[in-house]
Amino acid sequence: MKCVLIASENAEVLFYWADLDFEQSIREQYGALQEEGPMAFEDSINTLFAPIIISCSTMIDRICDNYTSFSTENNHVYVLQQFEECLYIGVCGDGEENEEDLKRKIYVLKKLIEIHYGMVTLSSSLLRKELRPHDRDQRNHLWRKFQSLLGTYSHLKEQDQSFLVEAVERLIHPTLCEQCIEFLERRLVQQINSSTERAGEEVLHAFILVHTKLLAFYSSRNASTLTSSDLLALILMVQNQFPSNSDLEDMSPEVSNPSCCFVPFLHFSEISPYSICVGPSGAEQDYTPVFQFVDPDIQMAEDSLQTLEVPPPDPSMPSRVFLEVTSKDGFCPMMPHSMYCLTLWPGITLVLLTKVPNSQLATSVYFFLDSFSQLERRLNEVQDGTSVSRSQHSLHDLRNKLDKFIRALSSSDIQVRELQNAWAEFKSKVFSRSGPGVSRELLPCCKNMKTCLCGVYRHYFLVETTRSSQRLSSSLQERAQQSVQEKLLDWKDFLLVKSKRNITMVSYPEFPGLIHFMYVDRTAGQMIAPSINVTDRSTSELGKGPLAHFVKNKVWSFVEMARRYLQKGYTTVTLRDGDYYLCYFLWFENETGYKLEVLDPPTLRDYSAPIGMLASDYYRKLLRYYSKSHNAEVVKCYELLSVHLGVIPTEYILQHCCQLARKLWEPSRIPLL
Amino acid sequence: MAETTPPDPRWCTYFFLFDGSKVKEEGDLTRTGICYFYPEETALEHQEVLCSQLAGVCRCVSELSRSAARLVRLRKLKFAIRMRDDFLWALGCAVELPDVSVCSFLDKLIGLFGFYNGPPRLSYQIDPLLLLKAALILQACHRCPLVLAGCILYRGRVVSTQMPPELTAKVLVHECETHSQYFFKGSNFKDLGPLTDGLASSSGLPSSGRVTSTPVFLTPSEVRDLRHPPVDRPHRSTCPPLQSNRSKPRLLSRTLSDTPAPDTDDHCGPGASNQTVPCSMRSSFSYEACVSSGASPAPGGSPLFSPDYLAEEKGGLSNGLQEEQKEEELVEATSRCSVSSKEGTQVGLETNDFGEKVEEEEEDGSSRGGAERMRQEPMDSERPQDDWREAKEERPVVEMALYRHRVRGLVLALLVEPQFHNDATALEEVYHSSLASLNGLEAHLRNPAPGLASAQGGPYIFAHYDCLQNTLATNLPASSPPGGSGSPHSAPFIKATSLLHAHFCQAPTLQEIIVRNAGSAVYGTRSVAQETYFLQQGTTVRNSGVPNPQDSAFTLPAKARHKLLKHGVNLF
């Protein structure tokens, strides 16, 4: 009973995702009079949510406040979040998600949209065009893609510790890791970047994933650092494109407690039907048994939908992704890249991120967008009638730069001509004697300039790329894939097992009573934790079935609880819960491992961005906040979470945590590059 | 009204009742649906925006989820909601207050509509000897057959009571309001009825302005409990038979001989003097409860805590209700501003009163229908899971009278049969039998024993809630204004306690928790019946936050066990 939707300020639904329960509930209420089919459902969703959407804008206008959530007596939860002119609404009516989960899901959806559309998201009219294409088939296709991504995210967040704490988990095998990094550098990136078949692209980052875990990561010398947020989002996209079959392997009929295993998976399959179409061969038949649980009417609707779908894209066609870049040319939060996902074997993927031709244009567009936003802010601050005089200098600077920028663009494109016209109008208002000068009257012009800049950006990095066949040549991609396959051939099976048994509690005999732990380096955005294999056929240290599930649920709920306390400014939490004793610590160190004095993190509002790294970089902000008082040194932030048996005396538990933090400090030093 | 102090704005920014049935057509003005809006000085336009928007989204959400909306959060404030038919009750308050508290608070407000007021804490740190005195006074009054039960209040707190908590709370709220001379001044409900004004209306009272009487309305079950108290329980078999006249209703009060005399009890020396005074869970236990907890630092040994008792209590009260009670106590702990009605069972009183007032004030003609319907369909906060559209049945109420005798800050409140006031002999008897004792008790209470004052600036802060004894003990400074979040040094404690309490409510298996930041560390622990919170002052070691067994935060459980022992709180 879940739903997520995005609405425009005109109360038009730009995107929705709803599970079967929610759809059925809506159909029962509304659909009786309506014709069947997805469009009718889309309309009914629009109608049913319209009063909420309209009330939101009324509240902003009339009392300068806005809804953040609703809950009902039967514990349905609604979370609302306004981003610019888009309103995101998340609903959960089955108790599986609380307000915090829904908020996080909304932020993840926003992140996914940003990674797909970059700075087009800064213009609501352009984003509307992207998210809600007129063509129904196109729209279905696009919405299914994001619906599938959301489904994959929900699944990973429930099953994967690295998506639980939002930090990248690496395969712990230093020797192999080092060899692979060297291979990626010498045999792969250098080879591709010196090839004539690269069509002007340049590989900036290359990495190998085993399921969700990172085996090796290499960045070329002139590449900007890939942020944890972007890397996690890319891993999510790869998982969506090539869903791990590992869950399926464990879903054999002899599993003693089917409710434990089937429920989460059923849920997954319900919400990512798209993966059936684009998944690797074999995935479809693996999914088949799951669909037996589905209502036959719905199944028919799904089937008929799929026939409408646009055929899967050319596999050698890269995806366009927009990633944060800080280079000597400047900062760009959403720089266009091409992403190539090359499957080595099921579960093992090579990912290449390339710089595309003309990408420096994005940096310029961002610079201008930023300049106009600043100007808007200043204009909003000034009193009516007066003009901004001290900004004259920066305006002249802007004029020179923008003139130069527009001259360099090909004026045959309609978007460029629109920009030229908007700019001419702006200049006539600001710089001519008869014009109003720099006053509030300029605000519409600023908005228009921003829309035109986004239009140019969209034209160059979204529209053109889908039309052209700009990419690394297929043969170059094949050769890259083959060379890494050869390199890892002997390791393949080991890696697949290792990804499920990365580290195990058996390796920690010196901590009797310790059941589980998680150690996160928030500066590097990496985490270490023993595997929890609840669906695995073989017995892990946590045992099998209910006990492992129980511990897993404890860990999951404790992470949420610890975040709640961190949000309110507490960096240490210990609690006794049933037969367990759980601890959470957050602290800061300098580069040499010296522990820095604790500082109270700011107390955040309930509606503030979720604590994490995937969709909102809380920890980056926290580090920046902390560094203010430690200018001289590099500040590192760590977290440790432990689960002990409750019978262990507290002083031993604390001793363990202390030793564990010391012991884990070393492995986390393995360089990523 | 002499002087109006607004209630704590964090607790009550807005409180309104909106009748959606009045605003159905396109042309209907929102204002016709507003039955009540607090604060009344809010611009009508603003009232209309809030009422219409909240009513609109709540209806929309209710239709989508097929269940009434319960909570609406905005960035700057949040609203607890109750939807019943076309009516929407909403309480707007600060966002940092726990959801559970806000929702139960609204239910209490609905139950006590109009009688909201400041800090009626159900506990009072006091010398046990004075409790005995108070109990003796009540007992003496109880000899009159027309007296059902009574309680003694001192400055808005309960000294001793024979009534169930719900009734005590209602008397207490009323009393607080009279005591501090402020309450809601609603436009439609300016005068909250005979409960507050014109109290000396009855003719038969002694010629003292300090004695007043007012009609009150009890539910049949409340009356039944008062007339036929559930005293015949196995663990009470040691009670000597009552010597009273058989024709009288059974007396609730216990004779002194039932309980150990304090001076013969080892534990009841000065060490136990800052014992929390319980407000009884059941009227019949009131006296016993005070004495047993005062006398024995380990209440587990008391017959009050026998399994029979526990089982019976559990059966008698829904878990939800206990939760609410707990909630309420914490509300008091965190803001020292609360209403102590236990639940909405006695709605008859409020709605009836509410109805009468509306009829009198029917200038705009708009609220009448609402009030009528309210009377027919009282709130039922005990069953929040009910279908939100389900209509409620009307409950009859029984008229009684509330006799009150005031001696400065001290009030003797007795629930009496209506004919009491026509019985001059009874009146005289009750008045004279209690007068001297009340004066004496008041004098004692006015001069509390040294060392019992608040622990402001003390080395630690604690709060201890016992849901069986229905007591809250705390050394939080009581002097801080109700509007603030307490003095600067108690703010960290209050902040942590509200988070921890919300966590305890949500996680049934959670037993204890320590949270720490750079400036403070707070320990919370709970058992089936109790929640305890403890903060040690002035021991903040500014360490790095890395796991460190030497961190003083982890010695809090031991310290709490040790320190709270002398407050009669046993955490072992």
Side-chain angles (χ1 to χ4, degrees):
Chain A
M1 185 69 186
K2 298 186 187 73
C3 171
V4 177
L5 66 91
I6 307 176
S8 72
E9 53 185 346
N10 306 321
E12 183 180 34
V13 170
L14 299 183
F15 167 77
Y16 81 85
W17 164 84
D19 67 359
L20 289 176
D21 288 344
F22 193 87
E23 281 197 29
Q24 257 163 1
S25 157
I26 295 289
R27 276 181 216 281
E28 278 167 28
Q29 283 181 59
Y30 198 83
L33 305 169
Q34 303 287 315
E35 54 175 300
E36 283 299 309
M39 291 315 286
F41 181 70
E42 186 191 318
D43 290 344
S44 48
I45 271 225
N46 220 341
T47 314
L48 285 169
F49 278 92
I52 299 181
I53 300 163
I54 293 164
S55 185
C56 275
S57 21
T58 311
M59 290 302 254
I60 296 173
D61 291 347
R62 302 290 297 276
I63 67 165
C64 297
D65 202 345
N66 200 0
Y67 304 113
T68 59
S69 72
F70 307 125
S71 51
T72 64
E73 289 183 1
N74 61 353
N75 295 319
H76 286 209
V77 188
Y78 295 66
V79 169
L80 300 95
Q81 181 76 47
Q82 188 93 33
F83 293 115
E84 304 293 329
E85 279 141 19
C86 292
L87 175 68
Y88 288 58
I89 303 178
V91 185
C92 178
D94 52 22
E96 285 174 14
E97 291 170 317
N98 59 23
E99 283 173 42
E100 209 52 35
D101 297 322
L102 285 173
K103 189 171 78 183
R104 194 172 292 276
K105 194 148 93 179
I106 284 173
Y107 271 83
V108 168
L109 177 58
K110 177 175 173 261
K111 170 78 189 178
L112 289 168
I113 289 174
E114 281 172 353
I115 230 171
H116 281 85
Y117 299 111
M119 287 190 276
V120 170
T121 54
L122 301 178
S123 159
S124 57
S125 57
L126 293 179
L127 181 63
R128 188 189 159 280
K129 277 189 204 160
E130 290 292 341
L131 280 180
R132 202 188 156 86
H134 277 300
D135 180 70
R136 177 198 284 212
D137 291 348
Q138 254 185 23
R139 182 154 78 228
N140 276 337
H141 177 70
L142 179 78
W143 286 7
R144 291 201 150 243
K145 178 166 137 187
F146 281 103
Q147 286 164 355
S148 163
L149 279 165
L150 272 180
T152 303
Y153 166 70
S154 296
H155 175 74
L156 289 176
K157 196 196 131 211
E158 285 309 310
Q159 303 304 323
D160 198 298
Q161 294 185 87
S162 73
F163 277 86
L164 170 67
V165 298
E166 299 185 1
V168 177
E169 185 172 4
R170 298 173 56 196
L171 277 186
I172 304 294
H173 196 296
T175 334
L176 181 61
C177 174
E178 215 169 305
Q179 283 179 27
C180 286
I181 291 170
E182 203 183 313
F183 184 87
L184 289 177
E185 180 186 4
R186 306 251 166 94
R187 302 289 171 82
L188 196 83
V189 176
Q190 283 181 9
Q191 300 272 325
I192 296 175
N193 286 349
S194 57
S195 161
T196 50
E197 297 170 48
R198 66 189 171 99
E201 296 199 0
E202 179 191 343
V203 179
L204 296 175
H205 309 278
F207 56 93
I208 301 168
L209 288 174
V210 185
H211 297 304
T212 55
K213 295 185 181 65
L214 193 61
L215 170 63
F217 187 104
Y218 171 76
S219 290
S220 76
R221 265 171 246 300
N222 45 0
S224 164
T225 313
L226 191 62
T227 64
S228 305
S229 169
D230 286 341
L231 182 54
L232 282 164
L234 295 176
I235 295 175
L236 168 58
M237 286 168 66
V238 174
Q239 284 300 302
N240 184 58
Q241 198 174 344
F242 306 112
S244 289
N245 292 336
S246 57
D247 301 319
L248 299 163
E249 285 157 16
D250 296 327
M251 300 236 318
S252 52
E254 68 262 24
V255 173
S256 55
N257 189 352
S259 65
C260 292
C261 307
F262 275 98
V263 171
F265 186 68
L266 181 61
H267 161 72
F268 175 43
S269 65
E270 278 167 11
I271 53 193
S272 30
Y274 181 67
S275 54
I276 298 161
C277 309
V278 297
S281 59
E284 189 160 348
Q285 76 192 56
D286 285 332
Y287 275 88
T288 312
V290 177
F291 269 105
Q292 290 168 354
F293 293 92
V294 173
D295 186 308
D297 293 341
I298 303 295
Q299 177 65 63
M300 265 171 64
E302 301 275 335
D303 290 345
S304 58
L305 263 178
Q306 278 164 27
T307 57
L308 294 172
E309 266 184 14
V310 181
D314 176 1
S316 68
M317 190 68 193
S319 325
R320 172 53 36 91
V321 289
F322 295 89
L323 309 170
E324 184 185 310
V325 160
T326 313
S327 67
K328 56 184 188 303
D329 302 332
F331 171 75
C332 181
M334 295 168 227
M335 180 74 117
H337 289 73
S338 282
M339 177 166 81
Y340 299 82
C341 298
L342 310 170
T343 321
L344 304 177
W345 296 280
I348 307 181
T349 319
L350 169 69
V351 181
L352 303 175
L353 291 168
T354 63
K355 182 182 174 179
V356 295
N358 273 338
S359 64
Q360 73 288 350
L361 196 134
T363 316
S364 304
V365 169
Y366 178 71
F367 171 81
F368 295 127
L369 281 172
D370 193 42
S371 303
F372 282 106
S373 298
Q374 281 177 23
L375 181 60
E376 275 181 333
R377 226 169 296 140
R378 280 208 303 271
L379 292 174
N380 277 320
E381 280 164 15
V382 297
Q383 299 297 312
D384 289 323
T386 58
S387 59
V388 185
S389 55
R390 60 190 172 86
S391 61
Q392 286 299 336
H393 171 72
S394 63
L395 270 175
H396 282 290
D397 187 47
L398 178 68
R399 180 188 189 168
N400 293 337
K401 283 187 175 152
L402 198 51
D403 279 338
K404 216 168 127 189
F405 174 74
I406 291 175
R407 267 200 302 277
L409 295 173
S410 144
S411 57
S412 61
D413 297 322
I414 183 163
Q415 288 77 13
V416 175
R417 281 204 304 280
E418 277 171 10
L419 178 65
Q420 276 171 339
N421 294 341
W423 180 230
E425 191 198 344
F426 184 90
K427 282 195 290 190
S428 75
K429 289 208 164 149
V430 177
F431 300 109
S432 75
R433 289 188 180 277
S434 55
V438 187
S439 67
R440 297 187 98 162
E441 284 172 52
L442 269 185
L443 281 171
C445 283
C446 284
K447 193 174 179 201
N448 193 25
M449 277 305 293
K450 285 165 74 178
T451 309
C452 290
L453 283 163
C454 288
V456 169
Y457 175 94
R458 175 171 180 261
H459 174 72
Y460 276 91
F461 302 123
L462 279 172
V463 181
E464 277 297 295
T465 41
T466 44
R467 264 188 235 148
S468 76
S469 53
Q470 161 70 44
R471 69 182 101 159
L472 302 177
S473 76
S474 306
S475 62
L476 191 59
Q477 290 184 43
E478 268 164 39
R479 266 178 282 147
Q481 189 175 10
Q482 277 163 13
S483 72
V484 185
Q485 269 172 340
E486 276 164 32
K487 164 72 189 163
L488 290 176
L489 188 60
D490 295 339
W491 293 95
K492 176 195 143 198
D493 294 329
F494 167 78
L495 286 173
L496 289 171
V497 172
K498 180 72 179 166
S499 79
K500 311 199 84 191
R501 292 263 184 286
N502 196 18
I503 54 171
T504 55
M505 282 308 300
V506 177
S507 334
Y508 297 87
E510 68 268 45
F511 302 112
L514 176 65
I515 291 175
H516 192 69
F517 68 84
M518 286 172 134
Y519 179 77
V520 192
D521 175 347
R522 287 296 177 185
T523 315
Q526 295 178 20
M527 59 87 71
I528 299 173
S531 309
I532 298 182
N533 293 318
V534 283
T535 53
D536 209 9
R537 255 170 278 173
S538 52
T539 310
S540 72
E541 294 76 38
L542 289 179
K544 204 170 149 177
L547 182 63
H549 265 282
F550 187 77
V551 173
K552 175 180 172 277
N553 291 341
K554 275 268 174 292
V555 170
W556 256 249
S557 65
F558 187 50
V559 166
E560 187 186 315
M561 224 55 238
R563 278 176 181 152
R564 172 84 185 141
Y565 286 107
L566 184 58
Q567 188 193 37
K568 297 297 170 196
Y570 298 96
T571 54
T572 299
V573 181
T574 67
L575 52 89
R576 187 178 297 283
D577 186 0
D579 295 332
Y580 299 92
Y581 197 91
L582 299 100
C583 302
Y584 168 80
F585 300 93
L586 177 141
W587 70 96
F588 298 94
E589 293 178 5
N590 70 9
E591 225 166 359
T592 57
Y594 178 78
K595 312 287 181 288
L596 301 172
E597 192 178 82
V598 73
L599 185 78
D600 280 349
T603 302
L604 303 177
R605 293 290 195 173
D606 288 346
Y607 60 81
S608 53
I611 287 179
M613 302 190 100
L614 171 55
S616 69
D617 212 341
Y618 169 83
Y619 293 95
R620 192 153 70 163
K621 288 186 195 120
L622 183 66
L623 278 162
R624 215 177 290 145
Y625 176 81
Y626 194 86
S627 300
K628 274 186 209 153
S629 52
H630 289 83
N631 283 328
E633 47 195 343
V634 176
V635 177
K636 305 219 157 206
C637 176
Y638 295 91
E639 287 177 297
L640 177 70
L641 181 148
S642 72
V643 184
H644 278 83
L645 286 176
V647 291
I648 311 291
T650 323
E651 53 265 40
Y652 289 109
I653 292 176
L654 294 165
Q655 198 68 49
H656 282 177
C657 291
C658 185
Q659 289 164 358
L660 204 53
R662 219 175 295 142
K663 185 181 164 113
L664 292 166
W665 190 76
E666 274 310 316
S668 73
R669 303 283 113 176
I670 306 168
L672 190 61
L673 299 181
Chain B
M1 227 42 59
E3 194 185 333
T4 303
T5 315
D8 183 347
R10 298 182 324 124
W11 271 105
C12 186
T13 316
Y14 299 108
F15 176 50
F16 64 79
L17 173 62
F18 183 74
D19 180 358
S21 67
K22 295 274 185 298
V23 191
K24 287 226 159 112
E25 304 295 318
E26 196 80 355
D28 290 343
L29 288 173
T30 306
R31 63 194 63 178
T32 57
I34 303 176
C35 306
Y36 175 75
F37 199 101
Y38 171 85
E40 61 175 346
E41 54 272 20
T42 311
L44 190 57
E45 216 175 287
H46 192 72
Q47 294 186 13
E48 288 192 316
V49 172
L50 284 177
C51 289
S52 61
Q53 296 304 314
L54 285 187
V57 291
C58 287
R59 199 177 54 224
C60 179
V61 163
S62 302
E63 275 164 12
L64 278 167
S65 288
R66 300 174 199 191
S67 169
R70 190 72 182 101
L71 195 72
V72 172
R73 284 205 226 180
L74 288 96
R75 289 182 166 235
K76 296 175 201 154
L77 74 164
K78 65 176 154 196
F79 286 90
I81 302 286
R82 272 289 179 204
M83 295 171 79
R84 288 295 177 260
D85 295 299
D86 289 323
F87 287 95
L88 177 92
W89 295 89
L91 168 69
C93 55
V95 283
E96 60 268 21
L97 299 169
D99 294 349
V100 269
S101 309
V102 176
C103 289
S104 79
F105 193 53
L106 173 63
D107 290 346
K108 271 145 206 151
L109 263 183
I110 294 170
L112 276 162
F113 182 56
F115 288 93
Y116 170 79
N117 202 340
R121 290 202 291 187
L122 293 182
S123 66
Y124 192 57
Q125 290 180 15
I126 198 173
D127 191 318
L129 274 173
L130 295 184
L131 293 179
L132 288 179
K133 273 184 198 288
L136 276 170
I137 298 170
L138 288 178
Q139 229 180 299
C141 296
H142 212 169
R143 296 212 180 91
C144 171
L146 294 174
V147 173
L148 287 167
C151 68
I152 291 182
L153 313 169
Y154 184 68
R155 298 196 171 174
R157 296 170 184 184
V158 178
V159 181
S160 183
T161 182
Q162 297 171 316
M163 300 178 204
E166 311 88 70
L167 277 177
T168 308
K170 282 175 175 159
V171 172
L172 184 59
V173 168
H174 176 194
E175 167 52 30
C176 281
E177 175 267 305
T178 313
H179 178 66
S180 59
Q181 286 288 298
Y182 84 78
F183 64 101
F184 274 121
K185 285 207 307 174
S187 50
N188 294 336
F189 306 96
K190 223 167 276 168
D191 303 309
L192 286 159
L195 279 178
T196 49
D197 300 325
L199 292 173
S201 54
S202 302
S203 53
L205 290 181
S207 58
S208 163
R210 300 181 306 179
V211 175
T212 56
S213 175
T214 182
V216 291
F217 302 90
L218 306 187
T219 62
S221 67
E222 283 170 337
V223 175
R224 196 174 50 242
D225 282 357
L226 287 175
R227 287 195 174 131
H228 308 284
V231 287
D232 296 323
R233 296 180 184 177
H235 68 270
R236 291 183 64 92
S237 59
T238 54
C239 298
L242 294 166
Q243 297 129 20
S244 51
N245 188 335
R246 285 288 143 197
S247 66
K248 285 162 72 174
R250 294 194 73 171
L251 293 186
L252 298 170
S253 185
R254 312 290 312 278
T255 60
L256 253 191
S257 58
D258 293 346
T259 53
D263 50 352
T264 59
D265 193 300
D266 292 343
H267 300 289
C268 205
S273 62
N274 54 354
Q275 182 56 251
T276 299
V277 175
C279 163
S280 75
M281 197 68 183
R282 283 282 183 264
S283 57
S284 50
F285 294 119
S286 71
Y287 188 33
E288 188 173 79
C290 347
V291 174
S292 60
S293 70
S296 156
S302 157
L304 188 62
F305 286 81
S306 69
D308 285 344
Y309 176 79
L310 280 171
E312 204 159 340
E313 281 306 317
K314 284 254 179 225
L317 288 166
S318 73
N319 284 337
L321 177 54
Q322 292 202 357
E323 215 42 55
E324 279 189 354
Q325 290 179 340
K326 244 188 233 182
E327 191 46 50
E328 177 192 44
E329 298 311 312
L330 257 295
V331 160
E332 291 165 12
T334 52
S335 73
R336 290 177 307 290
C337 173
S338 171
V339 168
S340 355
S341 162
K342 284 304 163 191
E343 25 108 10
T345 50
Q346 210 193 341
V347 204
L349 172 98
E350 287 77 35
T351 49
N352 219 331
D353 185 42
F354 166 42
E356 281 165 19
K357 288 336 286 172
V358 173
E359 280 167 46
E360 281 167 31
E361 297 252 331
E362 209 188 358
E363 289 125 6
D364 59 1
S366 62
S367 20
R368 175 166 190 158
E372 296 288 343
R373 297 188 68 154
M374 281 311 305
R375 212 167 355 166
Q376 284 157 16
E377 289 138 16
M379 299 300 106
D380 190 353
S381 57
E382 283 174 280
R383 294 186 293 160
Q385 292 301 325
D386 282 356
D387 184 352
W388 63 289
R389 294 183 183 279
E390 192 182 301
K392 301 291 179 287
E393 282 174 30
E394 189 182 1
R395 292 182 199 170
V397 288
V398 179
E399 187 172 341
M400 291 284 165
L402 184 67
Y403 164 97
R404 293 179 314 151
H405 182 172
R406 176 182 300 276
V407 179
R408 281 178 285 270
L410 189 76
V411 175
L412 166 69
L414 298 172
L415 276 174
V416 296
E417 304 278 0
Q419 63 270 32
F420 176 73
H421 297 300
N422 304 323
D423 188 335
T425 329
L427 267 170
E428 287 285 318
E429 189 188 312
V430 166
Y431 181 77
H432 289 295
S433 69
S434 57
L435 183 60
S437 328
L438 285 174
N439 279 320
L441 182 58
E442 199 277 335
H444 280 293
L445 286 166
R446 217 179 330 131
N447 306 306
L452 296 183
S454 89
Q456 186 152 22
Y460 56 88
I461 302 178
F462 80 99
H464 175 75
Y465 170 65
D466 187 314
C467 77
L468 289 186
Q469 298 191 61
N470 199 37
T471 58
L472 174 75
T474 175
N475 65 348
L476 271 168
S479 54
S480 59
S485 59
S487 62
H489 82 259
S490 57
F493 177 79
I494 288 167
K495 176 187 165 190
T497 300
S498 66
L499 278 171
L500 263 50
H501 172 64
H503 193 177
F504 277 133
C505 288
Q506 183 187 334
T509 51
L510 185 63
Q511 295 149 48
E512 59 174 58
I513 178 159
I514 298 169
V515 294
R516 172 197 213 298
N517 57 16
S520 66
V522 175
Y523 167 66
T525 179
R526 72 113 170 259
S527 62
V528 181
Q530 300 171 330
E531 274 178 46
T532 309
Y533 301 94
F534 183 83
L535 173 142
Q536 177 91 24
Q537 304 264 22
T539 54
T540 48
V541 181
R542 297 191 73 86
N543 80 350
S544 66
V546 77
N548 178 2
Q550 264 80 55
D551 191 331
S552 62
F554 304 116
T555 62
L556 281 179
K559 278 192 188 126
R561 276 193 286 272
H562 177 70
K563 301 277 186 195
L564 296 189
L565 208 52
K566 69 169 176 257
H567 297 274
V569 175
N570 191 333
L571 298 177
F572 286 94

